[in-house]
Amino acid sequence: MEIYRKLQNLFRFGSSRFDGPVLYGIFFLFGMGIVVMYSASVIPAEREFSDSSYYLHKQLLWGGIGIFSFLVFSQIPYQFLVRWSFVFSVLSLLLLISVFIPGLGKSVGTSYGRSFNRWIQIGGIQIQPSEFSKISILLFSSYFFYNFDFKKVKWDRKKIISVFLIFATLILIVIEPAFGTTIELLLVLFFFVLLAGFPMKRLFILGASVLPLLVVLVTQVGYRKKRLEIWLDPYKFRFDEGHQLVTSFRAFFDGGSFGRPVGSGYAHRYLAYSHTDFVMASFVEDFGFLGFFIFLLVVVLLLIRIYFLLLRTKDKLGFFLGSGILILFGFQTILNLFVITGIVPVTGISLPFLSYGGSSLITIFILFGILANITSKENLVL
């Protein structure tokens, strides 16, 4: 009975300042990520740096900064962050521009013959501005839309500048290119417009009108066109560009129900990006479909818990911003899983809390820190 009462108190809304199940959920995912990321990165770390723990040490460092950022942002009132969101957005825009500046931006060539400009190199630190732009876009667009009345639209200078800032950010992310991040942010903006009361019929017509542009971006841009061909028939390209996806399929097959001895599978040796975008393939190879089911269960329960917390928020702004974080986290997780299972074409998208990468890990911790503040006990109707 004592255990039952403790569990009942744990899951009761407002039983502590910050929601226990959400905190346990995100730190469980991060811990799971450390285990599988290390398992998947041992061979590439040994091959590239002669240090099997290289990526583990880096991820623990980023994780420590991420947790510190989470604690800081959970204490800062989200209203304060929103009020400064214009400044954050301008700074984000400048960072996105800086990736194209020689000597500061880092360009990476690909087998498709296309250069990617996604990073800033400062000393030994590499930053991906498009990840941090998620924070500024969420803060700024939630403030822009939460009090937007589509029935009484007055396009003054402030609104025009706001729209320009949002679209300029998206365009720069497309040019980098970071197509997956662009789709994420477009989906968040779509839901903000929907929540703001824009007529659904017109919204879907507007969305349909954008589809031809997306089709052109996918089918007429060289590397994306190639990815589409690989997605349609990965085994045709299994000895070159399709090897990544085919190896991911094999990892799911080899993992079986309960997995293989940790770190011993085929994908750990031969899967490119096995510790970054395709980390879940390595996870399934290690822990099987049982581990995959546990991961999905934790994510689904986390999403449901956040949803019910947001329904109890006192003000509309907190609901908008929190919903944006919920949508971004959920969609990014789903998109990554769809990519590694071949449901959608391959695009560079990390798996929140699990994939290796400092910018993405710190960003998701900051977003959940903001979410923790939004859903703190004093901001809920109990």
Side-chain angles (χ1 to χ4, degrees):
M1 288 298 292
E2 183 64 27
I3 295 175
Y4 173 76
R5 280 195 295 270
K6 287 182 178 179
L7 286 174
Q8 189 179 42
N9 186 59
L10 173 65
F11 285 95
R12 183 168 56 85
F13 294 107
S15 59
S16 58
R17 188 188 174 195
F18 299 120
D19 191 67
V22 172
L23 294 180
Y24 288 129
I26 62 176
F27 284 104
F28 177 82
L29 291 177
F30 174 61
M32 180 186 290
I34 290 295
V35 172
V36 67
M37 194 285 305
Y38 177 55
S39 169
S41 68
V42 166
I43 293 176
E46 184 66 37
R47 183 170 56 238
E48 296 169 25
F49 303 101
S50 300
D51 179 4
S52 60
S53 300
Y54 176 83
Y55 289 115
L56 173 64
H57 294 154
K58 296 277 283 188
Q59 190 75 343
L60 288 172
L61 173 63
W62 300 131
I65 296 173
I67 292 171
F68 176 76
S69 301
F70 171 87
L71 295 173
V72 169
F73 279 86
S74 66
Q75 301 296 326
I76 301 174
Y78 63 91
Q79 298 91 341
F80 172 83
L81 295 174
V82 168
R83 283 197 297 270
W84 284 86
S85 60
F86 179 79
V87 175
F88 298 148
S89 296
V90 172
L91 291 174
S92 176
L93 196 67
L94 293 175
L95 285 174
L96 289 169
I97 293 172
S98 66
V99 303
F100 302 102
I101 300 175
L104 184 59
K106 181 181 179 182
S107 179
V108 177
T110 69
S111 58
Y112 304 107
R114 176 73 181 268
S115 294
F116 284 12
N117 300 278
R118 295 178 179 173
W119 300 271
I120 300 172
Q121 188 80 36
I122 303 175
I125 300 175
Q126 192 168 284
I127 301 170
Q128 191 172 354
S130 60
E131 285 293 326
F132 293 107
S133 69
K134 296 175 183 178
I135 304 170
S136 62
I137 282 286
L138 279 167
L139 290 170
F140 188 65
S141 56
S142 63
Y143 179 66
F144 178 76
F145 283 110
Y146 100 100
N147 59 358
F148 195 94
D149 189 349
F150 286 102
K151 296 178 182 178
K152 302 176 182 179
V153 180
K154 292 182 180 180
W155 288 101
D156 54 21
R157 187 175 64 177
K158 185 177 179 180
K159 284 188 174 65
I160 293 171
I161 292 174
S162 298
V163 171
F164 170 80
L165 192 57
I166 292 171
F167 277 96
T169 301
L170 292 174
I171 290 169
L172 285 171
I173 294 173
V174 169
I175 295 173
E176 286 189 356
F179 194 61
T181 301
T182 308
I183 296 297
E184 280 185 81
L185 294 176
L186 281 174
L187 183 70
V188 170
L189 291 172
F190 175 87
F191 274 96
F192 278 159
V193 171
L194 191 63
L195 288 172
F198 192 81
M200 189 174 293
K201 183 178 178 180
R202 293 182 184 180
L203 185 59
F204 278 100
I205 292 173
L206 181 62
S209 67
V210 176
L211 285 178
L213 175 60
L214 293 177
V215 171
V216 170
L217 287 173
V218 171
T219 61
Q220 300 304 313
V221 177
Y223 82 97
R224 292 195 192 108
K225 185 178 181 180
K226 186 67 175 180
R227 284 181 175 181
L228 185 61
E229 293 174 359
I230 294 168
W231 173 63
L232 292 172
D233 189 2
Y235 287 93
K236 179 181 177 181
F237 303 93
R238 64 185 178 276
F239 297 116
D240 40 67
E241 293 97 335
H243 176 74
Q244 187 179 12
L245 191 54
V246 170
T247 305
S248 179
F249 293 161
R250 175 168 176 172
F252 273 79
F253 178 79
D254 289 351
S257 298
F258 303 105
R260 299 167 58 89
V262 175
S264 67
Y266 179 87
H268 286 71
R269 298 191 300 275
Y270 301 112
L271 177 62
Y273 309 111
S274 59
H275 58 298
T276 57
D277 297 349
F278 277 72
V279 70
M280 182 49 65
S282 299
F283 177 83
V284 173
E285 194 173 53
D286 281 342
F287 300 103
F289 281 95
L290 177 62
F292 186 60
F293 173 77
I294 292 172
F295 166 78
L296 286 180
L297 181 63
V298 171
V299 169
V300 170
L301 291 177
L302 185 58
L303 291 171
I304 292 172
R305 182 71 179 187
I306 294 170
Y307 171 74
F308 282 109
L309 281 167
L310 291 174
L311 290 180
R312 289 169 168 78
T313 52
K314 290 180 179 179
D315 70 311
K316 189 178 178 181
L317 176 60
F319 177 77
F320 260 67
L321 180 55
S323 296
I325 296 171
L326 173 66
I327 292 164
L328 189 139
F329 169 67
F331 180 72
Q332 185 172 334
T333 302
I334 292 169
L335 183 58
N336 178 275
L337 297 180
F338 278 10
V339 165
I340 66 168
T341 53
I343 296 175
V344 298
V346 172
T347 185
I349 197 81
S350 61
L351 185 59
F353 293 112
L354 273 74
S355 291
Y356 172 79
S359 297
S360 59
L361 185 60
I362 294 171
T363 295
I364 198 66
F365 266 120
I366 289 174
L367 288 175
F368 268 85
I370 297 171
L371 183 68
N373 185 267
I374 293 170
T375 59
S376 60
K377 185 176 181 178
E378 60 267 26
N379 293 326
L380 298 180
V381 176
L382 302 172

